[in-house]
Amino acid sequence: FNGVEQSVEHCHSIIATAAKQTPLASFEVARIAPAIARAVLIGASNVEIQGSGEKITLSCNNHQTGAVLEEVIPADGSKFKTAMSPKLLHGILDIIGYSGTVEVSPQSHPEKLDWYPSLLLKSTEKKFMCLLAPVTFK
């Protein structure tokens, strides 16, 4: 459990730093929420979200049933990539709320090799911020 405490401190450090940084991109939650909801409905094991400037591509699949979902959502200069459980993403959007804009900030400690590439989501009111990164313990 020593690693857990260190990871919590590290997570707080990343969030505190990213809260002061210029966001990488921003987009309306309402645009991406329906696609996340559909990913939950097909029972996808994970969702990959990739912003490539003009669009956000959301892709996922269910290996057991063969169901596949890929959706393209208009974006405003977003350039990022992350993969996360659809239920977790759905929960995050539920907490942030389905109106307004979400800012995406880059991970502030990329030199940590035991952390996967991650993103920080926060509402413009800064009421909630979430680190989108699975944590690995060695």
Side-chain angles (χ1 to χ4, degrees), residues 69-127:
L69 176 71
E70 182 166 300
E71 296 193 36
V72 175
I73 301 151
D76 49 9
S78 310
K79 287 189 179 177
F80 62 91
K81 184 175 182 179
T82 193
M84 196 44 62
S85 144
K87 287 184 180 178
L88 179 59
L89 280 169
H90 198 271
I92 290 164
L93 295 182
D94 219 21
I95 294 167
I96 290 174
Y98 289 89
S99 61
T101 304
V102 167
E103 295 178 358
V104 182
S105 298
Q107 178 175 312
S108 53
H109 297 277
E111 72 281 358
K112 294 286 183 183
L113 300 177
D114 57 337
W115 282 64
Y116 293 110
S118 63
L119 298 171
L120 285 155
L121 289 186
K122 59 183 174 181
S123 66
T124 45
E125 297 82 19
K126 296 187 180 179
K127 290 179 182 174

Side-chain angles (χ1 to χ4, degrees), residues 2-15:
N2 293 340
V4 175
E5 190 174 325
Q6 287 177 342
S7 291
V8 169
E9 288 174 12
H10 188 196
C11 185
H12 284 303
S13 167
I14 291 172
I15 290 175

